Amino acid sequence: PHDYPWMKGPKFADEFVKYEEQDARIAAAQWKDNVIFDGHGNDMPEWFQNIGYILSTSDFEGSHQAVAEGMASGAIPIILPWAGAETVYPKKYVYENLPEDFEAPIFDMAKSKSIMEYAKHHFTTSH
């Protein structure tokens, strides 16, 4: 959010505080080196090869296309509820409420391949 000046406006003040709290929580955690924020890039196929999870936390974007792209690479989606999320993506990856002690689904190659197959079946077109 620091890269977007509009996030610092009064309309998003409460939300920005939550981002600040998360930044502090991550900085203090023993797993802080496992959380990486990458900038924009045009090398998405290569970038997706280096992640195991794709997070969809935004409630202010169009189709959340990054989730489909991440799934196509085998990344496990973790999706916070946005209107229609469960109609586009499997319900088991849409989390209504994440508890304080939430643990991400365990990443394994079988699950990754299953997710890639789901994406191939649901998000590609035949020509």
Side-chain angles (χ1 to χ4, degrees):
H2 299 285
D3 294 340
Y4 304 103
W6 54 267
M7 280 293 299
K8 296 178 183 174
K11 181 177 179 185
F12 295 99
D14 291 340
E15 190 169 346
F16 196 80
V17 168
K18 291 178 184 177
Y19 280 112
E20 295 282 313
E21 290 169 354
Q22 284 298 346
D23 286 345
R25 180 175 170 246
I26 291 167
Q30 67 184 33
W31 40 261
K32 66 183 175 189
D33 293 333
N34 295 330
V35 178
I36 300 166
F37 294 96
D38 286 328
H40 296 281
N42 60 358
D43 60 345
M44 295 311 295
E46 294 85 11
W47 183 83
F48 275 123
Q49 297 300 312
N50 295 314
I51 65 169
Y53 300 89
I54 183 74
L55 306 179
S56 177
T57 61
S58 177
D59 55 2
F60 188 68
E61 64 183 272
S63 64
H64 296 254
Q65 187 63 32
V67 177
E69 293 169 347
M71 289 176 72
S73 77
I76 298 171
I78 298 174
I79 306 166
L80 297 186
W82 43 268
E86 71 286 349
T87 66
V88 180
Y89 300 110
K91 288 182 182 183
K92 67 182 176 181
Y93 297 118
V94 179
Y95 297 87
E96 289 297 324
N97 295 300
L98 294 180
E100 187 72 25
D101 59 349
F102 173 78
E103 291 189 25
I106 302 297
F107 183 87
D108 65 56
M109 287 308 293
K111 185 178 287 186
S112 179
K113 288 181 185 209
S114 171
I115 289 168
M116 287 187 336
E117 285 300 314
Y118 180 92
K120 182 178 178 182
H121 179 74
H122 289 85
F123 306 133
T124 60
T125 57
S126 300
H127 297 285

